[in-house]
Amino acid sequence: MRNKKLITLLIVVLVLVILAIICGATFIVRHVDAYSYYDNLLIEEYDKKIVSASGVSKNGSMFFVDEAAVKSKVEKAFPDVEVINVKRSFPDRVTINYVIYEKSFQYQNGDKYYQCYSSGRIGSASDVKSAGYFTIKPSSATSTTVGSYFQSGDGRDRRYVDAIIKFLRSKGLIDFQINQFINFIDFRRNGYVYIRTNAGCSIEIHDNGGADFNAMLERGFAVYSKMDPQLTDIRQTQGLIKVYPNLSQGADDPVRCVYLRPLQDEYDNKVYTDEGYYTRHYEDVAQGA
């Protein structure tokens, strides 16, 4: 009886070894591809570079392809790239799906300006502001290492910038148009997000946790869109749009929004901007910090 069990065990082990050898010989990497859903003139060149940087080599075992390692290697090599997924298609194909981020925003740290892609990763540094980026004024520490994220994942400013970019994309704006729309964003006043548009109008969101940030952003953007529906007429739009949670007990609408536009005759017929308001509430705060 004992010999029968031993023979059975040996047969099972032998079968498993044979299967492993067959699988190892069958499921080897013969094709490595990279592709992006987004159209880009350099896409074919990126495909080749990403395959090279991935570390996935032909004739290796499909079972030993480490998706997390591939993602890490590619993103380390290219700050403007994010790997969406790494797919193993048996028996012999590995596919890397990625996106290329465009130029997005910049910020000042010390005597340098740091330019970031819309992913939040730093792509370059310069002594002066660079064209093609909107500016942010961070509320807390920022990185100065090219290739790293400008703030950690739980950084307040990083979460806000990410939310604003995703919101504007949902409105049909591509990264280039977002840069045209925003002049700068100031996060330095605690509990507030101040967005100065290139049209001159500003949107200030009072985010004290009383309402969803995206809902408030939606409301302020809707008011702006009514004044400049195409978002392409770069003109001096007057006023300041203030958005804040509706804290009235039993209120049906969780968001309140007001459009402040002083009478022209109070300002000697000059086009009104909120520069004085901004100086008092943001520049003065920054100087006193």
Side-chain angles (χ1 to χ4, degrees), residues 46-281:
Y46 267 81
D47 288 350
K48 297 174 184 176
K49 290 180 179 179
I50 285 170
V51 168
S52 176
S54 70
V56 179
S57 57
K58 292 184 179 180
N59 300 319
S61 172
M62 288 283 287
F63 297 102
F64 294 150
V65 175
D66 185 337
E67 289 93 339
V70 171
K71 176 179 173 67
S72 177
K73 287 178 181 178
V74 171
E75 292 181 354
K76 185 176 181 180
F78 303 99
D80 57 338
V81 166
E82 179 182 352
V83 174
I84 303 303
N85 59 53
V86 179
K87 183 179 179 181
R88 290 182 290 178
S89 301
F90 288 91
D92 60 4
R93 186 178 296 275
V94 175
T95 306
I96 304 166
N97 174 23
Y98 67 95
V99 293
I100 302 174
Y101 288 104
E102 295 188 39
K103 300 186 296 186
S104 187
F105 61 91
Q106 62 189 326
Y107 60 90
Q108 187 174 13
N109 187 319
D111 58 355
K112 293 276 188 182
Y113 285 90
Y114 295 87
Q115 293 79 38
C116 295
Y117 298 102
S118 52
S119 63
R121 297 181 72 192
I122 303 171
S124 60
S126 61
D127 293 328
V128 296
K129 286 185 180 180
S130 294
Y133 299 85
F134 67 83
T135 302
I136 68 168
K137 300 182 180 183
S139 65
S140 56
T142 51
S143 175
T144 57
T145 304
V146 173
S148 67
Y149 288 94
F150 84 97
Q151 273 185 352
S152 61
D154 59 353
R156 172 179 178 266
D157 307 336
R158 183 174 164 189
R159 286 186 285 110
Y160 276 131
V161 169
D162 186 59
I164 292 167
I165 290 174
K166 286 180 178 176
F167 171 82
L168 292 174
R169 283 177 176 168
S170 75
K171 297 300 179 183
L173 276 68
I174 60 175
D175 291 342
F176 173 73
Q177 292 171 313
I178 292 172
N179 297 341
Q180 287 188 316
F181 170 58
I182 299 174
N183 187 306
F184 67 83
I185 306 176
D186 198 326
F187 301 110
R188 295 174 298 175
R189 185 182 176 195
N190 188 37
Y192 290 82
V193 176
Y194 179 95
I195 304 169
R196 172 67 61 82
T197 74
N198 277 315
C201 180
S202 300
I203 303 171
E204 181 190 70
I205 299 174
H206 184 191
D207 186 20
N208 65 356
D212 178 73
F213 179 74
N214 276 350
M216 292 192 289
L217 189 57
E218 176 79 49
R219 188 68 59 85
F221 186 79
V223 173
Y224 176 87
S225 297
K226 288 178 181 177
M227 295 187 289
D228 192 2
Q230 300 302 316
L231 298 179
T232 55
D233 180 15
I234 305 302
R235 58 187 172 80
Q236 192 69 18
T237 304
Q238 300 177 4
L240 170 66
I241 302 165
K242 293 173 67 72
V243 190
Y244 50 96
N246 187 354
L247 302 180
S248 302
Q249 190 171 4
D252 294 331
D253 190 347
V255 178
R256 298 195 67 179
C257 183
V258 295
Y259 171 42
L260 304 180
R261 182 179 178 180
L263 296 174
Q264 291 295 304
D265 54 11
E266 293 181 6
Y267 291 83
D268 300 322
N269 293 322
K270 293 180 181 179
V271 174
Y272 169 75
T273 67
D274 58 328
E275 291 176 356
Y277 175 88
Y278 175 77
T279 299
R280 291 194 306 275
H281 294 285

Side-chain angles (χ1 to χ4, degrees), residues 6-22:
L6 183 59
I7 292 171
T8 302
L9 179 61
L10 288 173
I11 291 173
V12 170
V13 170
L14 182 60
V15 169
L16 291 175
V17 170
I18 293 172
L19 286 174
I21 293 172
I22 293 173

